[in-house]
């Protein structure tokens, strides 16, 4: 069995405590991918000292040159796209086409970030005083702690790491325990692209040990976290107390609305992709389907007929539509919520069980599941399940659909299918989400647009697009006075 290492202090090293955890294939649990370091606070301490040295070099490297390194990383991702996607499917379970898309998002982010190295704009603004210039520029901040979830093993780390690096920061990267191999490949690529070794540190391990040590370390001023709202709350408390800069991207309970005038075939494709793609384990997964009563029965039948035909299996096998859940705990959570749904009186239309087939028995598979008659306010309508479970809610108007969409504590993405321009624009304005799709599913963000959620999904920051560069830099204001005399702002101009 292959033993993997951390990357700390410019070299691949064993964890201080000598402990490791196993990474297994969720489609075939008996298959071990490798042993990865179960790091602790001592490893984080070493990583911080190294990242501080890395910051000294990197923050003084011109931003366009930093961007060039990220561009090369993008080229290497292109060259190794298939190999990385296969490794991702093997440890995460999503079907290969989706894993290729996940790597592609990293490539898109790399090229966007590379060009940002030549942009990182400040502003020059008029001063209110004579012979004085006023301007702003962006400064790198320092060591950034990057903590990521299992579901987008390449896209999410690159959304965070590439902008952090282009802005001149150094990085300590703690990937999710279930996807450490893809993270290792990403760090290899950054090094091959020419990133000075001490600028990146890879610390594998569990959240409560390695992750927590990063969040609590006083010399890491920036934390970027994507994961569950529960973990985000713990991290938020610590960062608030320590006055750290913190970006949180957390859970979702996203809904697709279908109006009576919608193209139902299109809406069907959307909901199948949104609800059962990545086995429902996307932050933007469609976990609620809000149907206008006029098309409710017809559309439910269309969804159930199509969902029952989806083929479960190993994501590496051609023809597979839905892979396994990530691990035992994830499947138990789905089973628990299906039981909750039954007890709450929702009608189980399809699924609601582990598949019986012998070929699937060694993986964490679960049948695509649809509940109808789900009432707003019930637990399966409110809580994030993170699996292939779709809750259908019947409504009588657009206003009611919007109210149902907004009646949860999360606010990541939403979608509406309608041919009516006025309905689309009303929804666009009224849906309380960071992202709204019109005639497209709740999933499908592009790397050059801001990504993030409102309410308890986020804390006001955005990943991706141009906005993330604000998170990874401090804006500094400069006043250059060449008048040769004391000029008093707010006083001398108005005397
Ligand atoms: P998780 O919260 O269990 O873990 C995320 C990361 O945090 C992992 O690396 C984990 O090791 C680490 N962690 C756990 N406890 C920690 C602690 N006390 N201190 C520091 N780090 C800690 O989430 P997950 O199961 O990997 O991912 C699924 C969740 O992520 C879902 O809720 C999903 O909605 C959310 N998610 C959100 C977005 C978004 O952009 N909003 C994107 C993807 C996933």
């Amino acid at each position: 069995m292959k033993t993997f290492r951390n990357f700390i202090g410019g070299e691949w090293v064993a964890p201080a405590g000598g402990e490791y955890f196993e990474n297994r294939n969720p489609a075939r649990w008996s298959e071990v991918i490798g042993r990865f370091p179960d790091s602790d606070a001592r490893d984080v301490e070493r990583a911080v000292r190294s990242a501080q040295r890395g910051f000294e070099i990197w923050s003084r490297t011109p931003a366009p040159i930093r961007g060039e390194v990220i561009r090369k990383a993008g080229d290497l991702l292109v060259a190794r796209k298939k190999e990385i996607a296969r490794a991702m499917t093997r440890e995460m379970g999503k079907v290969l086409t989706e894993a290729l898309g996940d790597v592609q998002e990293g490539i898109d982010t790399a090229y966007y970030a590379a060009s940002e190295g030549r942009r990182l704009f400040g502003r020059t603004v008029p001063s209110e005083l004579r012979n004085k210039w006023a301007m702003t520029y962006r400064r790198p901040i320092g060591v950034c702690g990057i903590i990521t979830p299992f579901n987008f093993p390449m896209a999410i780390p690159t959304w965070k790491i590439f902008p952090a690096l282009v802005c001149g920061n150094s990085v300590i990267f703690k990937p999710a325990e279930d996807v450490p191999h893809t993270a290792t490949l990403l760090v290899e690529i950054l090094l091959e692209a020419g990133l000075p070794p001490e600028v990146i540190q890879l610390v594998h391990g569990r959240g409560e040990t390695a992750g927590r040590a990063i969040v609590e370390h006083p010399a890491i001023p920036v934390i970027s976290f994507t994961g569950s709202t529960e973990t985000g709350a713990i991290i938020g408390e610590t960062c608030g107390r320590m006055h750290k800069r913190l970006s949180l991207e957390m859970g979702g309970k996203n809904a697709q609305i279908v109006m009576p005038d919608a193209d139902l075939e299109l809406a069907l494709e959307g909901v199948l992709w949104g609800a059962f793609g990545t086995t429902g384990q996307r932050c933007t997964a469609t976990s609620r389907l809000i149907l206008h009563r006029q098309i409710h029965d017809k559309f439910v039948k269309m969804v159930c007929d199509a969902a029952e035909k989806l083929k479960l299996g190993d994501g590496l096998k051609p023809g597979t539509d839905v892979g396994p859940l990530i691990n035992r705990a994830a499947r138990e959570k789905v089973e628990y919520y299906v039981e909750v749904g039954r007890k709450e009186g929702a009608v189980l239309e399809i699924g609601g069980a582990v598949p019986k087939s012998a070929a699937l028995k060694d993986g964490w598979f679960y049948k695509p599941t649809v509940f109808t008659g789900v009432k707003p306010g019930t637990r399966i309508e409110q809580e994030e399940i993170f699996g292939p479970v779709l809750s259908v809610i019947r409504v009588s108007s657009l206003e009611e659909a919007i109210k149902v969409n907004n009646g949860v504590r999360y606010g990541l993405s939403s979608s509406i299918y309608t041919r009516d321009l006025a309905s689309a624009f009303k929804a666009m304005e009224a849906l309380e989400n960071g992202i709204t799709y019109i005639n497209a599913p709740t999933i499908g963000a592009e790397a050059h647009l801001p990504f993030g959620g409102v309410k308890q999904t986020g804390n006001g920051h955005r990943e991706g697009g141009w906005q993330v560069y604000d998170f990874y830099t401090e804006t500094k204001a400069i006043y250059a006075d060449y008048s040769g005399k004391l000029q008093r702002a707010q006083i001398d101009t108005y005397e």
Side-chain angles (χ1 to χ4, degrees):
M1 187 197 308
K2 188 165 177 195
T3 298
F4 289 80
R5 292 169 180 252
N6 287 325
F7 188 77
I8 300 177
E11 52 186 356
W12 295 97
V13 291
E19 300 289 329
Y20 292 85
F21 63 91
E22 284 178 355
N23 178 25
R24 288 168 182 260
N25 181 343
R28 225 173 3 267
W29 195 240
S30 49
E31 180 182 316
V32 182
I33 291 159
R35 295 195 318 149
F36 288 83
D38 191 357
S39 314
D40 60 31
R42 288 169 291 176
D43 302 294
V44 170
E45 186 58 44
R46 269 197 72 201
V48 170
R49 274 186 269 120
S50 173
Q52 286 174 322
R53 290 191 293 271
F55 180 71
E56 286 302 310
I57 308 166
W58 191 241
S59 57
R60 295 199 197 111
T61 304
I65 293 175
R66 299 194 297 245
E68 274 305 290
V69 172
I70 303 302
R71 189 184 58 73
K72 281 187 201 132
D75 293 345
L76 291 165
L77 284 170
V78 170
R80 294 178 62 182
K81 183 173 171 182
K82 288 198 179 120
E83 168 214 337
I84 297 169
R86 292 187 75 82
M88 183 190 300
T89 294
R90 200 170 157 228
E91 70 177 350
M92 190 275 162
K94 65 170 77 175
V95 297
L96 189 58
T97 346
E98 292 184 39
L100 287 163
D102 196 320
V103 181
Q104 185 59 43
E105 198 151 343
I107 294 166
D108 297 342
T109 300
Y111 293 143
Y112 186 96
S115 70
E116 199 60 33
R118 290 189 180 272
R119 239 177 341 248
L120 285 185
F121 294 139
R123 290 179 182 222
T124 308
V125 292
S127 165
E128 65 188 44
L129 294 156
R130 287 164 210 276
N131 299 321
K132 190 173 177 184
W133 275 58
M135 53 205 159
T136 66
Y137 84 106
R138 291 159 186 265
R139 282 164 63 86
I141 306 174
V143 181
C144 301
I146 305 285
I147 300 176
T148 53
F150 75 85
N151 62 343
F152 283 91
M154 182 60 74
I156 292 180
T158 56
W159 283 357
K160 296 175 186 293
I161 293 174
F162 291 170
L165 292 176
V166 164
C167 291
N169 303 289
S170 59
V171 162
I172 300 180
F173 173 28
K174 209 296 284 168
E177 300 85 312
D178 288 302
V179 290
H181 190 201
T182 312
T184 303
L185 296 175
L186 173 59
V187 171
E188 276 176 18
I189 278 175
L190 279 166
L191 295 172
E192 198 182 332
L195 189 71
E198 296 207 301
V199 179
I200 182 101
Q201 319 283 326
L202 174 65
V203 182
H204 290 292
R206 286 172 293 132
E208 315 81 71
T209 48
R212 187 171 161 194
I214 291 172
V215 173
E216 292 183 349
H217 201 292
I220 305 179
V222 181
I223 300 287
S224 178
F225 167 82
T226 298
S228 65
T229 297
E230 290 68 30
T231 309
I234 299 168
I235 293 176
E237 272 183 40
T238 309
C239 291
R241 187 162 29 82
M242 297 181 78
H243 305 297
K244 294 193 179 202
R245 181 176 291 213
L246 170 67
S247 171
L248 294 172
E249 285 300 338
M250 302 172 288
K253 190 73 187 172
N254 317 292
Q256 174 176 318
I257 299 169
V258 184
M259 296 302 289
D261 58 11
D263 176 339
L264 292 188
E265 289 297 335
L266 189 67
L268 173 66
E269 281 182 317
V271 72
L272 292 175
W273 175 233
F276 304 120
T278 323
T279 324
Q281 299 169 109
R282 295 165 176 152
C283 47
T284 51
T286 310
S287 60
R288 296 183 298 157
L289 178 63
I290 304 175
L291 298 181
H292 194 281
R293 62 181 160 72
Q294 285 174 24
I295 47 96
H296 177 277
D297 295 355
K298 180 177 177 191
F299 197 67
V300 164
K301 184 167 178 344
M302 287 167 74
V303 172
C304 292
D305 288 350
E308 272 191 319
K309 293 197 187 94
L310 293 173
K311 192 167 179 314
L312 269 67
D314 182 340
L316 287 174
K317 286 214 178 112
T320 300
D321 296 310
V322 182
L325 287 152
I326 187 69
N327 53 33
R328 180 194 297 273
R331 190 165 74 180
E332 284 173 1
K333 187 175 176 194
V334 170
E335 288 176 316
Y336 169 76
Y337 273 104
V338 168
E339 208 35 51
V340 168
R342 280 199 179 103
K343 286 191 184 137
E344 286 179 333
V347 180
L348 181 65
E349 298 281 350
I350 58 160
V354 170
K356 293 270 184 313
S357 137
L360 303 178
K361 74 168 181 3
D362 193 22
W364 305 118
F365 295 95
Y366 198 85
K367 286 186 178 175
T369 298
V370 176
F371 275 112
T372 54
V374 176
K375 297 276 171 277
T378 55
R379 288 187 66 195
I380 58 163
E381 197 266 338
Q382 292 282 312
E383 298 174 22
E384 188 182 46
I385 301 173
F386 227 56
V389 181
L390 182 67
S391 296
V392 183
I393 303 132
R394 182 200 294 255
V395 294
S396 301
S397 64
L398 176 62
E399 287 65 33
E400 192 184 348
I402 291 171
K403 195 168 165 227
V404 170
N405 175 80
N406 293 350
V408 294
R409 66 173 174 140
Y410 300 109
L412 187 51
S413 74
S414 54
S415 136
I416 178 163
Y417 281 77
T418 177
R419 288 192 175 101
D420 178 47
L421 194 64
S423 299
F425 271 78
K426 265 186 211 158
M428 193 176 86
E429 284 181 3
L431 294 171
E432 292 171 358
N433 304 91
I435 310 165
T436 289
Y437 295 91
I438 296 164
N439 293 324
T442 57
I443 166 97
E446 298 179 28
H448 58 297
L449 269 82
F451 180 96
V454 303
K455 304 204 281 194
Q456 290 188 27
T457 294
N459 67 339
H461 292 291
R462 290 291 181 272
E463 311 251 49
W466 52 93
Q467 268 186 273
V468 70
Y469 297 86
D470 293 336
F471 177 73
Y472 288 111
T473 49
E474 292 283 11
T475 296
K476 182 162 188 174
I478 305 288
Y479 299 94
D481 190 325
Y482 57 96
S483 68
K485 58 184 183 193
L486 171 67
Q487 299 202 85
R488 297 169 300 173
Q490 292 94 38
I491 295 173
D492 292 345
T493 323
Y494 300 101
E495 262 180 353

